[in-house]
Amino acid sequence: MELRDRDGLARICRFRNVETPALMPVVNPNKIVISPREMMDRFGIQAIITNSYIIWKTPRLRERAMEEGLHRMLDFPGLIMTDSGTFQQHVYGDVEVKNKEIVEFQRDIGSDIGTMLDVFTEPHFSEEEVKRAIDETARRGEEALRYKGDMLLAGPIQGSIYPNLRRYAAKLMNRLNFDYYPIGGVVPLMEEYRYSEVAEAIVIAKKYLNPSKPIHLFGAGHPMFFPLAALLGVDFFDSAAYIKYARDDRLLFPHGTVHLRDLKYPPYFSPVLERYDLGEVKSMPKKERTRVLSEHNLYISVEEIKRIKQAIHEERIWEYAESRAREHPMLLKAYRKILRYRRFLEKFEPKSRKGAFFYMGRESMQRPFVLGVKRRLRNFPSRRMVVELPRPWSANLGTIPKDAAVKTPFGEVPLELEDTYPFAQSEFPWDEKMNVPENYESVSYEEFDVAKIRAIADFQFGKGAADALFSGKIKIMKSKNTGKIRNVIVDGEHVVSLRAEDGLFTLKIHGAIRLHRVFEFPRMRIVVDPDSAEFNRQGRNVFAKFVLRCDPNIRPGDEVLIVDGSDTLLAVGRAIMNCWEMRHFTKGMCVKVREGIDRPKSGLVK
Ligand code: GUN
């Protein structure tokens, strides 16, 4: 996987020419309704999934697949994943194929991603049964890995409804080092709208699996659940829902399902319903109608993935998932369950986003992002005076009070953080009050400017940062247009620039030198391999495969210090992964370097 874009745990990656999150429609080689070629050409589908067991047990298909290979047989040049007979074994009882045999078969017909024969775990299974299934899956997994050849192999994470057993399965399977991790055993939960148990299974799997491996949700089904799954970092969704629902005359929409007979005003654009009159569709012969409805269903599913990607790109996935979660009580329950894992999720949270923080209900304040904000506010001792102020805070005052905090939904915030994310960049559905004592001790505007840069430094980089960065003769440069602080020069050295959009600093190499001197190893550090060091000194980006160690507190979007094995400073830049991810990814960039120690860039921000 190569990380391309992200928002929290949600991510856009590249995996073998496929951009994720991606929908893998299920193709039954015996009953093709929309051909794989059409899926690619008309719906932009880059990956499909089919069942190798069905091919294996159908002599005609088996021979063709062995002769021509899977890609030619299905006429699909994209990525093809194959499932084993697990689900069939589970639903219909005995499956005559063995694990080794089906893995070798998938390999021999040229599947891109094959699946071992895992043991399905049902929601009604006892803990003992589930544990046994997981152990047997792991045992077969070891065997499957020996026969996979060059094919990528998927190792499903089972665990039914038991969080402790999901964790057990994830740890066990992670140790075996599969190429790809589906989350299994969730179809019966999905069918009963037990989304919170599915969400919990995903979070736990994510927590214990290598973050550089693709995560797949087996039988994700309805697009209603896609946003919450993507929020948790699911990369692939397979779904037969587009065809299954069509056979029952049901239409998928992002918010739910509508039976054809009840559909009068189609709420979303669909090229299919655009082309046919609704009455015409209703009176079509069954076969033709199924085809038309499955096209609609596939289109809506693909569209939902696109909306999700756009939300990730805009860094609004939390708002998007939260608004979608309001469309079904069971989704809301799932969202609330997800929020219980906010301590883990916070490790992926940036300190600011492109857009403002939107309050959309009481759950908003439980988002992992808020946890991070509250933690960073603890870097400040409590203030002498707490006031209530409409924004912009200091502009609503004649003079600046000394040592004041402002009451906000995030907690009591030092007045100096008035331009900093999220205090200035957040929207709440209530009016802001003004409540300031009459006679207060005030400070001059010059003093306030210095207090501001100091508060931002301690908020962003932690306690001690202000002392390290700003000891010396401070010169604060402001924008001629807006009057806002832009650059801070200390003893003639450009130390930081202040970003207008989020009121946080970008660190210059002189600022990095100061923090590096004062902050003890490994704080803010990323230790790189000697092979990378020379390049980074010259200002080149850091690639994840060269990271040897890092500060576990690093979050995506953080300013970081690049050092070599003896903690010599090489460069300063902005992380795009957290430390855990950097240590696991073997492809792609993990720090965008701003300046190398050998190639400092001047550049005051106007
Ligand atoms: N399809 C849907 N669920 C599962 C599962 O748990 N395992 C496998 N192999 N395929 C599935």
Side-chain angles (χ1 to χ4, degrees), residues 43 81 100 107 126 269 317 414 419 428 504 509:
F43 297 86
M81 177 171 176
K100 173 171 177 277
R107 177 196 70 198
S126 69
F269 173 79
I317 193 67
D419 297 322
F428 293 90
L504 290 164
I509 198 77

Side-chain angles (χ1 to χ4, degrees), residues 307-366:
R307 283 203 198 105
I308 288 167
K309 283 188 187 170
Q310 180 64 23
I312 295 173
H313 178 65
E314 290 178 23
E315 301 182 348
R316 306 202 62 79
I317 193 67
W318 279 92
E319 276 87 359
Y320 187 67
E322 200 167 306
S323 70
R324 277 274 178 261
R326 295 231 171 280
E327 289 179 338
H328 195 290
M330 295 303 258
L331 289 174
L332 187 57
K333 187 177 173 194
Y335 183 64
R336 288 180 177 165
K337 175 70 85 178
I338 289 169
L339 294 173
R340 294 175 65 167
Y341 288 87
R342 59 184 173 276
R343 215 162 283 286
F344 163 66
L345 296 167
E346 194 278 321
K347 295 185 186 346
F348 302 84
E349 285 292 297
K351 291 188 170 57
S352 75
R353 288 188 151 87
K354 287 176 193 163
F357 175 97
F358 275 20
Y359 178 96
M360 305 171 80
R362 68 182 170 84
E363 290 81 14
S364 303
M365 298 317 285
Q366 305 291 318

Side-chain angles (χ1 to χ4, degrees), residues 7 41 49 52 91-92 150 165 198 262 268 281 289 340 349 351 370-371 405 407 429 437 443 479 501 554 563-564:
D7 186 12
D41 294 346
I49 183 167
S52 65
V91 178
Y92 309 111
D150 290 335
L165 291 176
V198 181
D262 300 326
Y268 288 87
V281 178
R289 201 166 68 232
R340 294 175 65 167
E349 285 292 297
K351 291 188 170 57
V370 178
L371 193 70
K407 226 188 217 175
V443 294
S479 158
E501 59 281 10
I554 289 171
V563 298
D564 67 12

Side-chain angles (χ1 to χ4, degrees), residues 4 26 83 96 110 118 183 215 239 307 334 360 369 396 409 444 488 539 550:
R4 290 291 174 90
V26 174
D83 199 352
E96 59 273 35
D118 51 319
I183 295 163
I215 302 293
S239 176
R307 283 203 198 105
M360 305 171 80
F369 173 77
N396 280 298
S444 70
V488 184
C550 39

